[in-house]
């Protein structure tokens, strides 16, 4: 801690542009520490209200030279980094980066390393959680005393684990979920995490160990979803579990229905396979309890939800569903594959059977309505209201083009004109996929399936037009 003689002491915070690091910095400043941050670019700090109150060192935590330079004169170094990006070599990258950081801390004479890891049971762990544990072990085995705090789900606006919880709850009134949603978890409010992190800087040199940190309640993930819905007024969720959804499949679903990217969602899902419950509460004896005691789940949710509109998603889905539903109904009315004119047309052998079209179109319409709502609400919540509005305008135009193609082909009986119009529809669908992709690659892929089908419809319409060039309308 800052000395009583008034001599300034310095902490280094890595991961300061991340969520936990971003809320830890002001807490350390408030306690009187001089704070230095290691960042790849100073511009990444521009939106932080504390940007002008810290020393910024540009560099990369994978570089031993950059780490040593950042640690000169540092008393405590916070390691809040991990490679949760979906790339297959993340375990080796995390291992190498932790070893580099630990050695740089020893070379610079740092007094303590503090690391935030994950709560876990004994036994085999998911790759993501095993990597977090391994990084903690690397620091504990080093020559610099280390504090490794092990937390489960962190409840706070901006926490990836909280964002996944709230987005799943808001978007899915009924859930068919993996059975491990019944595993026990001890969530913790971000304010409590910050209290323990900041307090760790004041530990004596004899402390070199892990500490489990958690809130006062142990809940299953399903119970957390129900409690979240109740607290914010969404109404009861209907949740059933099945044994067949693997973390990989669940991660793909998360990537589509929430703004959480697959690179982050899949390791988070993988960690839920394990129970995350504190086995000891020793941290309270060392740092003292958080002011007012440990934060309850309800208070943590209410604090995290300040400034969040939990009903935005519902309203957005209503708008996109209305647009897509109107196009689907109108298109169904205009389509007439049983007409004498259509039956007499010469068609390619590769045309799908008539029964396939309503099935495919219905699935794609639902896909577009859902993903457009996910993307639009994400953009609006991120302060990009203009992009959200443009996406919904692009959806409205696309549905108008969709309806027009059906009318030109089946009612006006103009295959060539319908083909040209369908080509425009395909371009519009590709643009819609691009706009949806602003909320994550999975959204672009999902809408891209609709664009691909529109492209197929263009080729089919053109082939029918060419085969019946000399035909007469009847």
């Amino acid at each position: 801690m800052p000395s009583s003689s008034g001599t300034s002491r310095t902490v280094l915070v890595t991961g300061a542009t991340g969520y936990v690091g971003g809320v830890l910095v002001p807490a350390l400043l408030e306690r009187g520490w001089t704070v230095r941050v290691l960042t790849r670019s100073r511009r990444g700090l521009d939106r932080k209200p504390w940007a002008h109150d810290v020393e910024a060192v540009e560099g990369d935590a994978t570089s031993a030279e950059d780490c040593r330079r950042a640690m000169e004169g540092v008393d405590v170094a916070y390691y809040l980094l991990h490679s949760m990006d979906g790339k297959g070599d993340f375990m080796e990258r995390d291992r190498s980066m932790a070893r580099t950081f630990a050695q740089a801390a020893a070379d610079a004479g740092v007094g303590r390393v503090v690391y935030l890891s994950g709560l876990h049971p004994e036994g085999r762990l998911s790759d993501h959680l095993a990597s977090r544990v391994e990084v903690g072990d690397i620091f504990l085995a080093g020559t610099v005393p280390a504090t490794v705090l092990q937390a489960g789900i962190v409840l706070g606006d901006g926490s990836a684990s909280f964002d996944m919880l709230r987005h799943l709850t808001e978007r899915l009134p009924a859930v068919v979920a993996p059975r491990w949603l019944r595993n026990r978890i001890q969530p913790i409010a971000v304010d409590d995490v910050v209290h323990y992190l900041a307090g760790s800087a004041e530990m004596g040199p004899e402390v070199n160990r892990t500490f489990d940190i958690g809130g006062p309640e142990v809940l299953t993930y399903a119970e957390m979803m129900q409690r979240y819905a109740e607290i914010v007024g969404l109404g009861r969720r209907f949740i059933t579990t099945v044994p067949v959804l693997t973390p990989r499949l669940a991660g793909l679903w998360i990537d589509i229905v929430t703004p959480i990217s697959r690179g982050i969602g899949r390791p988070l899902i993988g960690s839920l396979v394990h129970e995350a419950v504190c086995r000891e509460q020793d941290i309270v004896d060392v740092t003292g309890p958080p002011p007012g005691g440990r934060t309850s789940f309800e208070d943590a949710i209410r604090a995290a939800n300040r400034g969040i509109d939990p009903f935005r998603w519902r309203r957005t889905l209503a708008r996109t569903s209305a647009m897509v539903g109107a196009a689907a109904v109108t298109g169904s009315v205009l389509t007439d594959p049983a007409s004498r004119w259509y039956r007499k047309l010469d068609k390619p052998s590769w045309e799908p059977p008539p029964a396939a079209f309503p099935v495919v179109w219905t699935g794609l319409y639902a896909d577009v309505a859902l993903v457009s709502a996910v993307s639009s609400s994400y953009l609006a919540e991120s302060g990009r209201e203009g992009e959200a509005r443009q996406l919904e305008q692009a959806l409205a135009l696309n549905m108008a083009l969709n309806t027009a193609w059906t009318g030109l082909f089946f009612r006006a009986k103009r295959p060539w004109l319908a083909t040209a119009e369908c080509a425009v529809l395909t371009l519009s669908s590709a643009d819609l996929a691009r706009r949806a992709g602003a909320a994550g690659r999975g959204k672009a892929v999902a809408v891209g399936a609709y664009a691909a089908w529109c492209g197929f419809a263009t080729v089919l319409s053109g082939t029918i037009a060419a085969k019946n060039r000399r035909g007469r309308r009847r």
Side-chain angles (χ1 to χ4, degrees):
M1 61 182 296
S3 68
S4 58
S5 63
T7 303
S8 174
R9 294 185 66 190
T10 302
V11 294
L12 172 70
V13 179
T14 59
T17 56
Y19 176 61
V20 173
V23 292
L24 173 63
V25 168
L28 291 169
L29 289 169
E30 187 176 341
R31 291 188 178 213
W33 289 94
T34 296
V35 179
R36 183 181 301 162
V37 300
L38 175 62
T39 178
R40 288 195 180 103
S41 173
R42 284 184 175 86
R43 287 179 296 179
L45 304 176
D46 287 346
R47 293 187 178 183
K48 301 294 185 181
W50 42 257
H52 298 295
D53 299 322
V54 302
E55 300 176 17
V57 176
E58 286 191 331
D60 195 317
T62 62
S63 165
E65 181 181 350
D66 288 349
C67 287
R68 283 192 294 268
R69 181 164 50 87
M71 291 185 193
E72 291 179 5
V74 164
D75 298 286
V76 179
Y78 284 89
Y79 188 84
L80 304 175
L81 303 171
H82 49 81
S83 302
M84 200 158 66
D85 54 13
K87 297 180 180 178
D89 61 345
F90 77 93
M91 294 184 74
E92 175 55 37
R93 283 183 287 141
D94 276 348
R95 183 182 304 119
S96 175
M97 193 160 56
R99 287 172 175 166
T100 297
F101 195 86
Q103 186 59 54
D107 293 343
V110 171
R112 175 167 300 280
V113 171
V114 181
Y115 171 58
L116 181 61
S117 184
L119 271 179
H120 61 278
E122 297 293 340
R124 182 177 177 82
L125 303 174
S126 69
D127 288 347
H128 166 65
L129 203 48
S131 179
R132 301 289 291 272
V133 173
E134 181 186 20
V135 168
D137 290 342
I138 289 171
F139 290 132
L140 293 171
T143 59
V144 177
T147 302
V148 177
L149 302 182
Q150 300 181 145
I153 288 179
V154 177
L155 302 174
D157 181 23
S159 161
S161 52
F162 169 73
D163 286 346
M164 189 171 78
L165 171 68
R166 85 170 183 89
H167 286 306
L168 284 176
T169 306
E170 290 173 6
R171 285 157 169 69
L172 302 175
V175 186
V176 177
R179 62 185 174 189
W180 28 266
L181 257 67
R182 304 295 180 185
N183 288 347
R184 298 180 305 149
I185 300 168
Q186 194 165 351
I188 182 171
V190 68
D191 288 347
D192 293 1
V193 174
V194 169
H195 169 79
Y196 297 132
L197 282 169
S200 296
E202 304 170 3
M203 292 180 181
E206 73 283 357
V207 179
N208 185 65
R209 55 164 292 186
T210 64
F211 292 91
D212 291 351
I213 60 174
E217 297 164 82
V218 176
L219 305 164
T220 68
Y221 202 91
E223 288 171 339
M224 285 194 290
M225 292 179 68
Q226 294 288 15
R227 290 279 300 279
Y228 178 92
E230 176 186 348
I231 291 166
V232 304
L234 289 172
R236 184 168 179 79
R237 308 289 96 171
F238 298 92
I239 302 173
T240 185
T241 57
V242 294
V244 294
L245 286 179
T246 66
R248 180 180 177 84
L249 290 175
L252 292 173
W253 177 239
I254 294 293
D255 194 27
I256 293 174
V257 303
T258 79
I260 309 298
S261 69
R262 187 186 312 175
I264 295 176
R266 188 177 296 173
L268 288 178
I269 288 288
S271 298
L272 293 176
V273 173
H274 311 291
E275 294 203 331
V277 179
C278 295
R279 287 171 290 183
E280 43 84 8
Q281 301 285 348
D282 297 348
I283 188 67
V284 176
D285 297 329
V286 181
T287 65
R294 292 186 297 172
T295 307
S296 70
F297 181 83
E298 180 171 347
D299 288 344
I301 293 298
R302 292 194 186 281
N305 258 59
R306 291 195 194 103
I308 293 177
D309 179 1
F311 297 95
R312 183 195 298 275
W313 154 255
R314 186 178 295 180
R315 295 194 302 271
T316 305
L317 181 61
R319 289 196 301 272
T320 60
S321 296
M323 286 185 273
V324 175
V329 171
T330 305
S332 178
V333 171
L334 293 176
T335 301
D336 188 11
S339 68
R340 182 168 175 255
W341 171 79
Y342 184 75
R343 286 188 286 106
K344 290 178 67 69
L345 289 176
D346 186 9
K347 307 177 192 68
S349 60
W350 45 266
E351 180 189 43
F357 287 94
V359 174
V360 174
W361 277 115
T362 298
L364 290 173
Y365 281 141
D367 168 44
V368 170
L370 174 66
V371 177
S372 295
V374 170
S375 300
S376 179
S377 59
Y378 166 76
L379 292 170
E381 286 182 354
S382 302
R384 298 153 69 181
E385 289 86 355
E387 291 181 60
R389 184 169 55 253
Q390 290 167 8
L391 186 151
E392 292 188 33
Q393 290 170 348
L395 176 63
L397 173 62
N398 183 271
M399 290 299 110
L401 291 169
N402 187 299
T403 301
W405 167 72
T406 307
L408 288 172
F409 190 94
F410 285 100
R411 297 298 175 177
K413 301 176 183 176
R414 302 286 296 275
W416 278 119
L417 186 58
T419 299
E421 201 275 349
C422 198
V424 176
L425 169 63
T426 302
L427 293 175
S428 169
S429 302
D431 176 65
L432 188 63
R434 177 186 65 83
R435 294 178 185 276
R441 186 176 62 180
K443 286 75 174 174
V445 172
V447 180
Y450 167 68
W453 181 257
C454 290
F456 171 77
T458 301
V459 174
L460 179 59
S461 296
T463 302
I464 291 175
K467 281 180 166 289
N468 297 272
R469 182 179 288 110
R470 296 181 181 180
R472 296 179 302 164
R473 290 195 305 163
R474 292 186 174 89

